[in-house]
Amino acid sequence: MSALALSVLLSLVSAVAYAGGAILQERVAATGTGRQYAPLRRGVWWVAVLLNGLGGLLHVVALAYGPLSLVQPLGALTIVFALPMAALFVRRRAGATAWRGALMATVGLAGLLSLTRAGGSRSLADAERVLLAVGTGGAVVVLMLLAHAAHRHPAVRSVLLATAGGIAFGISSVFTKTVAVDWDAHEPLARQVPSLAVIAVLAVGGLLLSQASYRGAGLAAPLSTVTVVNPVIAAAVGLTLFEESFRYGATGTAVALACGVVAAGGLILLTTERLGAEAARPEPATEAPPGAGTPTAPVPRPSAEQAAPADGRAEQRGPGHDERRAADACLRTRPGTPPAPEQRLLRESLAGVPPQPAVKTFPRADAGAARA
């Protein structure tokens, strides 16, 4: 197998690994509780971390065997692999708008990177490294603050966090290239330690930001944003600091800009598709405040006509009559005599009944005896 074919194969496997890791990250975010950037207690999340690490390792090896202009566009196939894999394994289907947006972002990114021409291998000066690291940290912090301010709009929040993660990954690749150039030039290890520390911080930060971007936003929008922003940032730094340029002069530059517009349009489609899904979601039912029970209809009291006997005569008691006092009088016993069990039981049952006057009618037991 030739080196070019091996590079293509490694790039495809790397894209599949990245897609699998992204799917697992999205599932962890969808099924988890709380606003966790790193759900360390979830075993599935660690599997996603391993898949992302495998994808990164295969990507680095592919760069060692093939040109950057070929390997980087193949890495954009991650989103193309992720959508059918999500539909197949976790039943997460994407709409037609999401598919169009993903394809537009992939095609635009592939065209942009295919027109980039690599320059000579050079490293970054110490001042350039410090400026790049500080600028990247400031941009990531600003995007995180904006995402926190947009917490009521999950799609916007997701794109902001995914953009921050893509920037972290892209600048991490820039420092990786710098370390590789210094390694080939046999630079002392002490000069490379700060760059290695920056790579570790940006790689871990990008992973945590991408994990947070999947919460409440689905799979397509955050994954496409990371997939596009990562190489675009790396290409922008390459054009400005590594003396790279576009092929075919002014024509190539114009086509590259058009490809960038296509990729941006794809991201806009993905974001609007998610916003439309949120707008179509039914509003949750308003819960009753604590302590408010279900209202019940008042129990109607019987009228005098209904309570009176057939002969129309009834016995009435005055409003000052207290039923509890009458019951207590009946339950009194002589001093020194213990109450009977039935008296004690009746007294305990009436202990919690408040005294209340009542006007009740009692029909005579025998109308004939009353007339006598």
Side-chain angles (χ1 to χ4, degrees):
M1 181 181 294
S2 64
L4 183 61
L6 180 60
S7 175
V8 172
L9 179 61
L10 291 175
S11 298
L12 294 177
V13 178
S14 172
V16 172
Y18 276 132
I23 292 172
L24 293 181
Q25 284 183 280
E26 192 273 335
R27 295 308 302 165
V28 170
T31 58
T33 57
R35 299 182 179 181
Q36 296 180 342
Y37 281 75
L40 301 179
R41 298 183 180 181
R42 301 288 299 274
V44 179
W45 185 75
W46 287 107
V47 176
V49 172
L50 292 177
L51 287 175
N52 281 296
L54 176 62
L57 179 62
L58 293 176
H59 184 74
V60 172
V61 176
L63 285 173
Y65 285 96
L68 179 66
S69 59
L70 175 65
V71 174
Q72 287 294 104
L74 290 176
L77 294 175
T78 299
I79 182 62
V80 178
F81 290 147
L83 292 181
M85 287 173 62
L88 179 63
F89 293 111
V90 297
R91 307 300 181 187
R92 175 62 66 90
R93 301 185 182 275
T97 304
W99 275 104
R100 288 195 298 269
L103 292 178
M104 286 178 60
T106 304
V107 171
L109 178 62
L112 179 64
L113 295 178
S114 63
L115 292 172
T116 303
R117 180 172 54 193
S121 296
R122 64 177 295 269
S123 181
L124 295 178
D126 294 340
E128 292 175 334
R129 300 184 192 193
V130 172
L131 181 62
L132 188 60
V134 172
T136 302
V140 170
V141 170
V142 170
L143 288 172
M144 290 179 64
L145 293 176
L146 292 176
H148 179 72
H151 64 279
R152 294 185 178 180
H153 304 281
V156 178
R157 170 190 169 277
S158 169
V159 170
L160 291 172
L161 290 176
T163 302
I167 291 175
F169 283 135
I171 302 302
S172 175
S173 299
V174 172
F175 276 92
T176 301
K177 182 177 180 179
T178 301
V179 170
V181 172
D182 290 343
W183 183 268
D184 293 337
H186 303 287
E187 293 287 341
L189 182 62
R191 188 171 183 268
Q192 301 180 21
V193 169
S195 297
L196 292 174
V198 172
I199 292 172
V201 171
L202 291 178
V204 174
L207 177 64
L208 299 182
L209 288 170
S210 63
Q211 174 63 57
S213 68
Y214 289 110
R215 183 170 57 86
L219 177 67
L223 180 57
S224 297
T225 304
V226 172
T227 304
V228 171
V229 172
N230 177 3
V232 166
I233 290 296
V237 174
L239 291 172
T240 55
L241 297 180
F242 289 103
E243 299 179 353
E244 295 181 349
S245 60
F246 292 113
R247 293 185 175 91
Y248 311 116
T251 303
T253 303
V255 175
L257 292 176
C259 291
V261 172
V262 172
L267 292 180
I268 293 174
L269 280 181
L270 288 168
T271 306
T272 54
E273 190 268 345
R274 190 64 191 178
L275 288 174
E278 293 175 3
R281 188 180 303 167
E283 293 292 336
T286 304
E287 297 181 356
T294 303
T296 56
V299 179
R301 294 183 178 180
S303 60
E305 293 79 3
Q306 295 174 346
D311 58 357
R313 290 175 293 180
E315 181 179 343
Q316 296 184 355
R317 296 187 179 183
H321 179 72
D322 189 355
E323 296 291 335
R324 183 176 177 182
R325 291 179 183 175
D328 289 340
C330 296
L331 293 176
R332 289 198 188 115
T333 57
R334 295 181 180 179
T337 304
E342 60 272 18
Q343 293 176 339
R344 185 169 61 253
L345 179 61
L346 182 57
R347 183 173 294 156
E348 292 174 356
S349 63
L350 293 174
V353 179
Q356 51 181 341
V359 179
K360 296 184 179 180
T361 59
F362 297 91
R364 294 183 182 274
D366 187 4
R371 287 192 296 270

